[in-house]
């Protein structure tokens, strides 16, 4: 079984496009992690004037990285050890509902539940909470996850 730190090291992202600070737990059927949207992120400069808000597409990306990619890496390692060079990912669909804004320096928690993982496709139900435990956004995200050797 892969440890949480091993999953984080295998993520195919780096700053400024890494939206996972830590994983709180991960199982075969779920993942939970956190991220703080730091106030120096470039998209806050223009979104919006005098009241910066995290764009919905970035909230979706955070949900995907924690809820689908981290869980996908965990599931793929059950089939054999993967490394960053041998891992491919592509989001195939996302249907999200945005309920509350996320401001600079706000910490969020993403909880993901696996709907299915078959034929290299992972589909998850995701919910993002703010630090007051209110739902920020929720929906479903799906993507293809596989080793390059399977291509």
């Amino acid at each position: 079984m892969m440890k949480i730190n091993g999953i984080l090291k295998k993520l195919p992202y780096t700053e400024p496009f890494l939206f996972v600070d830590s994983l709180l737990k991960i199982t075969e059927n779920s993942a939970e992690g956190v991220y703080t949207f730091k106030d120096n992120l470039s998209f806050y400069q223009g979104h919006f004037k005098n009241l910066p808000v995290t764009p919905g597409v970035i909230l979706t990306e955070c949900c995907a990285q924690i809820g689908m990619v981290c869980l996908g890496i965990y599931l793929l390692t059950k089939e054999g050890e993967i490394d960053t060079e041998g891992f491919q990912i592509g989001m195939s669909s996302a249907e999200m509902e945005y309920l509350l804004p996320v401001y600079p320096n706000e910490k969020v928690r993403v909880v993901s539940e696996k709907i299915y993982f078959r034929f290299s496709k992972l589909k998850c139900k995701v919910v993002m909470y703010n630090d007051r435990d209110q739902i920020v956004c929720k929906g479903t995200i799906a993507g293809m996850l596989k080793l390059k050797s399977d291509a």
Side-chain angles (χ1 to χ4, degrees):
M1 183 166 88
M2 175 172 254
K3 300 238 187 253
I4 287 175
N5 286 339
I7 292 169
L8 295 177
K9 288 178 184 175
K10 293 189 183 301
L11 285 171
Y13 314 101
T14 61
E15 295 289 341
F17 207 74
L18 175 63
F19 300 111
V20 183
D21 286 335
S22 64
L23 288 175
L24 303 175
K25 69 176 189 172
I26 195 156
T27 69
E28 189 172 317
N29 294 306
S30 65
E32 183 175 349
V34 294
Y35 181 73
T36 300
F37 286 96
K38 296 142 198 85
D39 63 359
N40 65 346
L41 293 168
S42 63
F43 52 77
Y44 287 130
Q45 294 174 9
H47 195 265
F48 293 98
K49 288 183 189 178
N50 304 317
L51 184 61
V53 176
T54 309
V57 68
I58 300 295
L59 298 178
T60 301
E61 182 64 27
C62 180
C63 286
Q65 287 185 18
I66 293 172
M68 187 187 67
V69 180
C70 289
L71 181 56
I73 290 170
Y74 178 83
L75 294 171
L76 283 175
T77 57
K78 295 183 83 174
E79 298 173 4
E81 188 67 26
I82 65 171
D83 59 48
T84 306
E85 297 300 317
F87 175 62
Q88 294 179 319
I89 176 142
M91 188 183 301
S92 59
S93 67
E95 184 177 325
M96 298 294 290
E97 182 178 2
Y98 306 99
L99 305 169
L100 292 173
V102 173
Y103 299 106
N105 294 316
E106 193 164 356
K107 184 177 185 176
V108 296
R109 179 174 53 92
V110 175
V111 177
S112 171
E113 294 179 29
K114 179 179 75 175
I115 297 171
Y116 65 80
F117 179 55
R118 62 180 170 265
F119 304 114
S120 300
K121 185 171 184 177
L122 176 60
K123 185 172 184 176
C124 299
K125 173 185 162 191
V126 294
V127 181
M128 178 183 282
Y129 298 90
N130 62 22
D131 58 1
R132 293 170 303 288
D133 216 29
Q134 299 168 307
I135 297 176
V136 169
C137 61
K138 61 183 179 176
T140 58
I141 296 176
M144 301 299 289
L145 303 129
K146 62 183 188 173
L147 302 175
K148 283 186 182 178
S149 61
D150 293 341

